[in-house]
mmCIF file of all heavy atoms in Angstrom:
data_model
loop_
_atom_site.group_PDB
_atom_site.id
_atom_site.type_symbol
_atom_site.label_atom_id
_atom_site.label_comp_id
_atom_site.label_asym_id
_atom_site.label_seq_id
_atom_site.Cartn_x
_atom_site.Cartn_y
_atom_site.Cartn_z
ATOM 1 N N LEU B 1412 8.316 -16.297 21.747
ATOM 2 C CA LEU B 1412 6.888 -16.225 22.099
ATOM 3 C C LEU B 1412 6.378 -17.604 22.506
ATOM 4 O O LEU B 1412 5.641 -17.734 23.504
ATOM 5 C CB LEU B 1412 6.085 -15.699 20.912
ATOM 6 C CG LEU B 1412 4.584 -15.536 21.153
ATOM 7 C CD1 LEU B 1412 4.327 -14.563 22.284
ATOM 8 C CD2 LEU B 1412 3.888 -15.065 19.901
ATOM 9 N N LEU B 1413 6.816 -18.635 21.777
ATOM 10 C CA LEU B 1413 6.429 -20.009 22.135
ATOM 11 C C LEU B 1413 6.908 -20.349 23.531
ATOM 12 O O LEU B 1413 6.200 -21.000 24.305
ATOM 13 C CB LEU B 1413 7.010 -21.001 21.128
ATOM 14 C CG LEU B 1413 6.190 -21.221 19.859
ATOM 15 C CD1 LEU B 1413 7.007 -21.998 18.854
ATOM 16 C CD2 LEU B 1413 4.921 -21.966 20.181
ATOM 17 N N ASP B 1414 8.125 -19.886 23.860
ATOM 18 C CA ASP B 1414 8.688 -20.146 25.194
ATOM 19 C C ASP B 1414 7.797 -19.536 26.271
ATOM 20 O O ASP B 1414 7.524 -20.168 27.295
ATOM 21 C CB ASP B 1414 10.093 -19.555 25.257
ATOM 22 C CG ASP B 1414 10.852 -20.039 26.462
ATOM 23 O OD1 ASP B 1414 10.761 -21.249 26.743
ATOM 24 O OD2 ASP B 1414 11.514 -19.212 27.114
ATOM 25 N N ALA B 1415 7.321 -18.309 26.005
ATOM 26 C CA ALA B 1415 6.438 -17.666 26.973
ATOM 27 C C ALA B 1415 5.130 -18.423 27.109
ATOM 28 O O ALA B 1415 4.586 -18.566 28.212
ATOM 29 C CB ALA B 1415 6.173 -16.224 26.549
ATOM 30 N N ILE B 1416 4.626 -18.958 25.996
ATOM 31 C CA ILE B 1416 3.356 -19.682 26.050
ATOM 32 C C ILE B 1416 3.517 -20.989 26.816
ATOM 33 O O ILE B 1416 2.663 -21.364 27.623
ATOM 34 C CB ILE B 1416 2.823 -19.911 24.620
ATOM 35 C CG1 ILE B 1416 2.344 -18.569 24.042
ATOM 36 C CG2 ILE B 1416 1.672 -20.893 24.623
ATOM 37 C CD1 ILE B 1416 2.137 -18.573 22.563
ATOM 38 N N VAL B 1417 4.668 -21.662 26.592
ATOM 39 C CA VAL B 1417 4.917 -22.911 27.331
ATOM 40 C C VAL B 1417 5.082 -22.602 28.820
ATOM 41 O O VAL B 1417 4.559 -23.331 29.676
ATOM 42 C CB VAL B 1417 6.156 -23.620 26.746
ATOM 43 C CG1 VAL B 1417 6.565 -24.791 27.615
ATOM 44 C CG2 VAL B 1417 5.869 -24.104 25.341
ATOM 45 N N ALA B 1418 5.748 -21.477 29.126
ATOM 46 C CA ALA B 1418 5.882 -21.079 30.521
ATOM 47 C C ALA B 1418 4.516 -20.766 31.117
ATOM 48 O O ALA B 1418 4.242 -21.107 32.282
ATOM 49 C CB ALA B 1418 6.803 -19.851 30.622
ATOM 50 N N LEU B 1419 3.647 -20.149 30.333
ATOM 51 C CA LEU B 1419 2.289 -19.850 30.800
ATOM 52 C C LEU B 1419 1.533 -21.144 31.075
ATOM 53 O O LEU B 1419 0.803 -21.251 32.074
ATOM 54 C CB LEU B 1419 1.557 -18.993 29.765
ATOM 55 C CG LEU B 1419 0.092 -18.714 30.062
ATOM 56 C CD1 LEU B 1419 -0.021 -17.837 31.299
ATOM 57 C CD2 LEU B 1419 -0.584 -18.045 28.890
ATOM 58 N N GLN B 1420 1.735 -22.152 30.202
ATOM 59 C CA GLN B 1420 1.064 -23.434 30.433
ATOM 60 C C GLN B 1420 1.491 -24.049 31.750
ATOM 61 O O GLN B 1420 0.675 -24.575 32.502
ATOM 62 C CB GLN B 1420 1.385 -24.390 29.284
ATOM 63 C CG GLN B 1420 0.681 -24.022 27.991
ATOM 64 C CD GLN B 1420 0.924 -25.028 26.898
ATOM 65 O OE1 GLN B 1420 1.975 -25.665 26.851
ATOM 66 N NE2 GLN B 1420 -0.041 -25.157 26.011
ATOM 67 N N LYS B 1421 2.806 -23.910 32.036
ATOM 68 C CA LYS B 1421 3.299 -24.437 33.321
ATOM 69 C C LYS B 1421 2.675 -23.673 34.470
ATOM 70 O O LYS B 1421 2.323 -24.263 35.501
ATOM 71 C CB LYS B 1421 4.819 -24.324 33.369
ATOM 72 C CG LYS B 1421 5.513 -25.396 32.560
ATOM 73 C CD LYS B 1421 7.021 -25.325 32.746
ATOM 74 C CE LYS B 1421 7.714 -26.274 31.785
ATOM 75 N NZ LYS B 1421 9.035 -25.796 31.394
ATOM 76 N N LYS B 1422 2.541 -22.368 34.304
ATOM 77 C CA LYS B 1422 1.957 -21.551 35.365
ATOM 78 C C LYS B 1422 0.485 -21.927 35.586
ATOM 79 O O LYS B 1422 0.032 -22.030 36.731
ATOM 80 C CB LYS B 1422 2.053 -20.068 34.998
ATOM 81 C CG LYS B 1422 1.480 -19.169 36.071
ATOM 82 C CD LYS B 1422 1.573 -17.718 35.708
ATOM 83 C CE LYS B 1422 0.969 -16.876 36.824
ATOM 84 N NZ LYS B 1422 1.106 -15.455 36.601
ATOM 85 N N ILE B 1423 -0.217 -22.175 34.498
ATOM 86 C CA ILE B 1423 -1.637 -22.535 34.629
ATOM 87 C C ILE B 1423 -1.770 -23.833 35.418
ATOM 88 O O ILE B 1423 -2.660 -23.977 36.257
ATOM 89 C CB ILE B 1423 -2.280 -22.673 33.225
ATOM 90 C CG1 ILE B 1423 -2.372 -21.311 32.549
ATOM 91 C CG2 ILE B 1423 -3.663 -23.287 33.323
ATOM 92 C CD1 ILE B 1423 -2.813 -21.362 31.108
#
Side-chain angles (χ1 to χ4, degrees):
Chain B
L1412 182 60
L1413 275 169
D1414 193 43
I1416 289 165
V1417 171
L1419 175 66
Q1420 288 184 330
K1421 282 185 188 150
K1422 181 180 180 176
I1423 291 172

